[in-house]
Amino acid sequence: MAKAFGKVILAGEHAVVYGYPAIASVIGQSVRVEASYTNTPGFEFENHHLNARGDAEQLLEQLSPKLQSLLGERISKVQFKITSQIPGGCGLGSSAALSVALIRSALDLFGEQKNTQEVTDMALEIEKIFHGNPSGIDHTVIAEESLIWFQENKAKHIQCPKPFNIVIAITGPHAGTLKAVQAVRARYENNPQATKHTLEAIADITHNMREAIQTGDIKSVATLMTENHKLLGALGVSTPELDSLCKLAIDNGALGAKLTGAGGGGSIIALTHEPNRLAAVFKQAGYQALQTVVG
Ligand code: PMV
């Protein structure tokens, strides 16, 4: 059995695609995969929304040959039983966690040891099925299982002397990471100067957030999240629903809030000292809410 936790991006999504840094953390919710030898090989989903946008079958067709090319012919005799606590397509790393957990469960079954970098490299190949050409932040933070600074495919652990509470509110699956990344690319091509300026401002926020996390300045971490959200709005990846959920969080005591992941739907994260109260507020407003601690 193998488990991989989901993730949130605290700062720097989209900018990370252009070589700027981002900060991401694993969350408490996970994907569990049990691999076993069987006469009925393949994938059995207990409750994983492999692809909330409906092209799951096509993705599954690509998954088996990809696993075979990474782990060999022996994969053709294996059944993977998948259970997930991470809603799919909502910017919480559900596909990257599945990628990491599939690799780990197979290695576990074969009695093979691989280091984190090797697991990360293999998971990237699977992640490409779901996301085309991802920056790598999702599966890297998930394989590292920590709070990381990520830039140009390299991860560094961030020390966090004061862990903080995050509440995640989920609006539903977003329109797709690839689509959102392409929309930002089009914006960059149409208006390079302004878009570069926005990406640089996001990078400044990411640098300042690392400093705030390391010094335990939680209030500044939260304020920087809110500033990052505004800049993601300027990149065109927020939505009125995400904006209003961030406002709802702040109106209910959150110190800061932002969308997390690709945007265009998906999830927001809010930093708060009262996670139970805020989660109840989101639920009352009709949204699924998850709680996690960062650090
Ligand atoms: O797939 P998501 O929603 O977790 O978004 C990934 C973060 C992006 O920066 C938007 C894309 C990437 O590849 O880094």
Side-chain angles (χ1 to χ4, degrees), residues 263-275:
S267 306
I268 68 129
I269 52 172
L271 193 158
T272 175
H273 293 314
E274 296 177 291

Side-chain angles (χ1 to χ4, degrees), residues 7-9 12-17 22 89-95 127 131 133-138 150 174 176-178 180-181 184 232 237 260-263 265-266:
K7 68 98 212 343
V8 287
I9 298 180
E13 52 270 268
H14 287 289
V16 70
V17 173
C90 297
L92 301 175
S94 122
S95 66
E127 199 36 11
H131 285 325
N133 195 18
S135 69
I137 189 168
D138 282 18
F150 183 88
H174 58 49
T177 304
L178 196 60
V181 167
V184 174
L232 287 163
V237 297
T260 189

Side-chain angles (χ1 to χ4, degrees), residues 195-206:
T195 309
K196 190 160 187 273
H197 188 74
T198 306
L199 295 173
E200 282 168 356
I202 291 176
D204 285 345
I205 285 174
T206 309

